[in-house]
Amino acid sequence: MNLVTAEHLTKSYTERLLFDDTDLAVNEGEKIGVIGINGTGKSTLLRLVAGLEEPDQGTVTRGRNLDIRYLPQNPKFTPKDTVLQSIVRDNEGHEHPWDLESQAKTMLTKVGIFDFDQEVGTLSGGQRKRVALVSALMSDTDLLILDEPTNHLDSQMAEWLEDYLKRFRGAIVMITHDRYFLDSVTNRIVELDKGKLYSYQANYEGYLKLKAERLDMAAAAERKRQSILKVELAWMRRGARARSTKQKAHIQRYEALRDQKPPEADKAVEMESVSSRLGRTTVEIQGLSKAYGDKVLVRDFSYIFLKDDRIGIIGPNGSGKSTLMKMIAGWTEPDDGVINMGQTVKLGYFSQENEAMDESLKVIDYIKNVGEYVKTRDGSISASQMLERFLFPPSVQYTVVSRLSGGEKRRLYLLRILMEAPNVLLLDEPTNDLDIQTLTILEDYLDQFEGIVVAVSHDRYFLDRIVKRIFAFEGQGKVSQYEGGYTDYQIEYERRHPENSGGDKKAEDGKKSEAGRKEGKNAARKLRFTYQEQKDWEVIEDQIQALEEELAQLEIQIQESARDFVKLNQLTEERDQKEAALESKMERWMYLNELAERIEAGERQT
């Protein structure tokens, strides 16, 4: 059954055209993920569907007696209400009012809220968002509209929310940039691109394939149009006379073909590595400790960062992750311990709350305060040109920062930090409010970044994609080290802490033995490639073939240079390096091939 139908939507915000005569339908039982570049109007679309805004043109029709619940990015509360009072007030018409408080308390603990009598006005922004999320989930609604529900949730909370929304019986329309979350929950992706809405009946992985097919078809149609236009242009140049109706129609077809707009290429954020040289001494931490009152956040933490380190920091909200980052950045003093910085270290700190952003400045001035020009591999590029690369056209560059969307502010803040050419990047929740396209480019940028990257993140995809080592906050100030990305961490954590594995599934399935449950969960997770393994598996055979061909060429060159001892030594040394690289690749191939066979065997069994 159709719940909401939006037709011929047109909506402008200042000089921006957000929707250009586009349509959307929401049907019963659908779980829709809305994606698109920040600032293109995703949150506005949600408010239009919810009936909180009206389009400039077009209509939005909602089903009779349709109950809609909306979670905004920045929820509003009555400051003096307690946490529990605010939820009860928002759900006065609940189907089971006698059980409302008990259900609310249970759900609040799932998102890390334990003081039910605390006044909402004293909560942090992240805590308020989690209270509002619980309030929305408690409602008996037909359509749940969620704007960034995974922001301010740690990984365990996000997994709980995934399970909850998959079981939710009503329809869902949500904005999220968490790609694992989109893959797990959604059955339809709606992309907002250049004022139009494109619908894909698939989860995020399926969307990527379908979008590639759509773009290929659009490119093929444009090639065909250009080919026909070339023939028609030749016909026109022969001096066609518009005397007959047939000739007039031919000319009209030519003009319609000529005036047809070609498909616009997607604009993408362009980032280039402009880091400064990093010397031998990097960042050395010895015996670091920090506590606030009786709460110990970090206890006796030591680590020496290597030049190419890619570190991910994870843990529950409030465990001390951001505090550790601020101590490294010099924003917070430790209680004990020392942090030694090498003379060549140049820190770039991408903080969680944009604390250092002066929103009264114009966009162009905010960047020019760092420098009029920045050096890249292509030479010097002006601040205005860098802004254009970051999807801030000249029409936006003289806008005051405060008028940008939340995601645009984060993107601008990131640009400013990268323009300072740091060689140690501290990223505190970099995936919050950044759109998927920008995240993808950031991940590619970090692949090429010549320096150290330390990232606090709850985005499991981002951690699997980027980091090679995990620091996990495990309570009482303990920070444990795990090798690999997030998926590798999960497997190793369950091996080290079998008593904690299984989570809520233990309570839900008491019939199964604890040992059987752990074994099944570990087996399921082991029988899959991590992101890096999948990436290696796709290219490793080509890499081995290339190395073998290079070795064959070197053997020929060695034979031809038998009398040139200098060149012979160089070629022999290069051959030894290539042989070592080939041996390493062959060992990696053997491991991946064996794993692929085990995965295939497991899939056949299931």
Side-chain angles (χ1 to χ4, degrees), residues 570-583:
Q570 292 175 345
L571 291 171
T572 303
E573 184 177 346
E574 187 178 352
R575 180 188 63 185
D576 293 343
Q577 291 173 352
K578 296 289 185 185
E579 286 177 342
L582 179 59
E583 184 178 351

Side-chain angles (χ1 to χ4, degrees), residues 277-504:
R277 187 188 66 84
L278 186 61
R280 180 172 296 179
T281 304
T282 59
V283 181
E284 300 179 355
I285 300 175
Q286 295 292 333
L288 203 67
S289 296
K290 184 67 180 180
Y292 288 101
D294 296 332
K295 186 172 184 180
V296 179
L297 299 179
V298 182
R299 189 194 302 275
D300 194 27
F301 175 67
S302 300
Y303 186 75
I304 298 174
F305 288 90
L306 305 176
K307 281 189 177 182
D308 61 347
D309 258 346
R310 297 292 187 270
I311 305 293
I313 301 178
I314 65 173
N317 288 324
S319 58
K321 305 182 299 296
S322 293
T323 301
L324 176 59
M325 294 284 269
K326 288 178 180 178
M327 286 192 287
I328 297 173
W331 287 26
T332 299
E333 288 293 324
D335 296 338
D336 292 300
V338 293
I339 300 175
N340 294 319
M341 294 282 179
Q343 292 184 348
T344 59
V345 168
K346 190 172 182 181
L347 280 173
Y349 180 35
F350 185 61
S351 67
Q352 189 173 160
E353 301 295 338
N354 300 359
E355 294 98 332
M357 177 172 273
D358 184 351
E359 296 193 7
S360 65
L361 294 174
K362 293 178 180 177
V363 170
I364 186 72
D365 294 330
Y366 179 73
I367 295 301
K368 281 186 175 180
N369 284 347
V370 180
E372 294 277 350
Y373 294 89
V374 62
K375 289 184 179 180
T376 70
R377 294 173 181 174
D378 297 333
S380 294
I381 295 179
S382 70
S384 179
Q385 289 172 317
M386 283 300 288
L387 280 166
E388 287 196 60
R389 290 189 173 198
F390 262 57
L391 305 184
F392 293 103
S395 59
V396 178
Q397 292 179 14
Y398 290 89
T399 301
V400 177
V401 172
S402 61
R403 297 182 63 183
L404 300 178
S405 71
E408 287 175 310
K409 290 176 185 175
R410 292 290 279 173
R411 194 195 313 146
L412 182 65
Y413 186 38
L414 178 62
L415 170 59
R416 180 184 170 110
I417 289 166
L418 296 182
M419 282 192 68
E420 293 173 347
N423 48 34
V424 176
L425 265 177
L426 306 179
L427 306 174
D428 196 352
E429 294 292 358
T431 63
N432 277 3
D433 295 318
L434 287 183
D435 58 77
I436 292 174
Q437 191 172 346
T438 304
L439 282 175
T440 302
I441 303 299
L442 174 60
E443 289 160 356
D444 291 341
Y445 170 88
L446 294 177
D447 285 341
Q448 306 300 323
F449 180 74
E450 297 177 356
I452 296 167
V453 178
V454 185
V456 171
S457 182
H458 300 309
D459 187 319
R460 296 156 292 172
Y461 186 100
F462 180 83
L463 291 169
D464 271 344
R465 171 73 173 78
I466 293 300
V467 308
K468 299 177 181 177
R469 184 168 295 134
I470 295 283
F471 290 154
F473 279 70
E474 297 183 342
Q476 287 92 41
K478 181 183 179 183
V479 182
S480 299
Q481 181 175 320
Y482 297 82
E483 296 304 307
Y486 183 80
T487 303
D488 302 308
Y489 152 77
Q490 284 183 306
I491 296 169
E492 179 62 17
Y493 178 83
E494 290 183 4
R495 189 189 68 79
R496 294 188 196 180
H497 306 278
E499 71 281 1
N500 294 331
S501 64
D504 295 333

